[in-house]
Amino acid sequence: MKIGIIGPGQIGGALAGHLTQRGHQVKVANSRGPRTLSKVAAETGATPVSVREAVQGVDVVIISIPERSIVDLPADLFAGVPASVVVIDTGNYYPELRDGRIAELDAGTLDSEWVAQRLGRPVVKAFNNIMARSLREGGRPPGTPGRIAQSVAGDSQEARTVALRLIDELGFDGVDAGNLAESWRQQPGTPAYCKDLDRAALTRALAAAERSRVDQYRAEGEAAAKKFYAEQANATRRATG
C-alpha cells in the first residue's frame, strides 16, 4: 500500500520503519518540512515530503502528532482526497504533560472524535495504546504465545479492517473494538492502555473499562506518563554521569 505518515516521532517513526521494511511505499512529513527529515529517511527508508504531499496519492494516512498540533494542520488538508483513503489517528490527549487544555476534550468529546471533527474526515483510532518500544521491538509471528495485541476503533468496518491488517503485518494481534464511540476504552489510563496484553487479555481489558471513569483514567494515565518520563530522565542522567 501507499501510506503517508504525518508526525514521524516515536510511534510514527516506528511505523514508518516497519511498514517500509514490509514493502509499503511510505511518505513521512512534519511541520518543519522535508529538509528536516533526512535522518528519519535514512533510518526508516521512507520518503520525506510536505504535509500536503503526505495525504496525496495514498491509501492510508497515519496522523501521529500531539493533540495540540492537530489545530495547526491546514484546514483544507483533505480537500480532494478520496473518501476511500483510511485515516488512522494514533494520538492521546495529555493536557498537563504536553497538550494544554482543549475545551472540547475536557467537556467530554473523545480524543479521536475531536480529531475527526478537526480534520473533517472519519478516523480510525489505532496504534495509540502501545508503548513505542513495544511497537518497535514487540512484533511476533502469528500464533506466537503471548503475542501482543492492539485495539482498533472506528465507524467504518472497511477502515478498521485495513488497520487490523497492518497491525497483523507488524507482528501483533488485532482486536476490533467497534465504533469510534467506543474508542474511550483505549484512551490513556484505561485497563487496555500500554499494558502489552495478548488478544484475550486485551479483549477483557476493553470490556472492563467504565465510561464514568474517563476523567479519572486520564488523570491516572497522565500521572503514569509523568512517572515514566521522570524515570527515563533519571536513567539518562545516571548513564551519562
Side-chain angles (χ1 to χ4, degrees), residues 33-103:
R35 291 185 180 180
T36 67
L37 293 169
S38 57
K39 182 179 179 181
V40 172
E43 292 175 347
T44 66
T47 302
V49 297
S50 69
V51 168
R52 289 190 181 277
E53 290 172 317
V55 306
Q56 298 295 326
V58 295
D59 305 298
V60 176
V61 174
I62 299 174
I63 308 289
S64 191
I65 59 179
E67 301 296 83
R68 68 170 187 266
S69 299
I70 292 292
V71 298
D72 297 327
L73 293 173
D76 61 347
L77 181 61
F78 286 94
V81 175
S84 59
V85 174
V86 175
V87 181
I88 296 175
D89 171 39
T90 77
N92 295 301
Y93 177 43
Y94 284 109
E96 295 182 13
L97 185 65
R98 182 188 63 194
D99 296 312
R101 290 289 172 182
I102 298 173

Side-chain angles (χ1 to χ4, degrees), residues 57-163:
V58 295
D59 305 298
V60 176
V61 174
I62 299 174
I63 308 289
S64 191
I65 59 179
E67 301 296 83
R68 68 170 187 266
S69 299
I70 292 292
V71 298
D72 297 327
L73 293 173
D76 61 347
L77 181 61
F78 286 94
V81 175
S84 59
V85 174
V86 175
V87 181
I88 296 175
D89 171 39
T90 77
N92 295 301
Y93 177 43
Y94 284 109
E96 295 182 13
L97 185 65
R98 182 188 63 194
D99 296 312
R101 290 289 172 182
I102 298 173
E104 296 93 331
L105 296 177
D106 289 340
T109 301
L110 303 184
D111 297 5
S112 288
E113 287 182 337
W114 179 78
V115 172
Q117 292 169 9
R118 299 294 307 192
L119 297 179
R121 293 292 292 251
V123 304
V124 173
K125 191 173 191 71
F127 301 115
N128 79 295
N129 66 320
I130 185 170
M131 298 292 287
R133 181 174 180 177
S134 297
L135 185 59
R136 289 193 307 268
E137 304 173 5
R140 298 292 183 271
T144 301
R147 194 185 196 211
I148 298 171
Q150 300 186 50
S151 52
V152 172
D155 292 337
S156 165
Q157 178 66 66
E158 293 81 4
R160 294 202 306 271
T161 297
V162 169

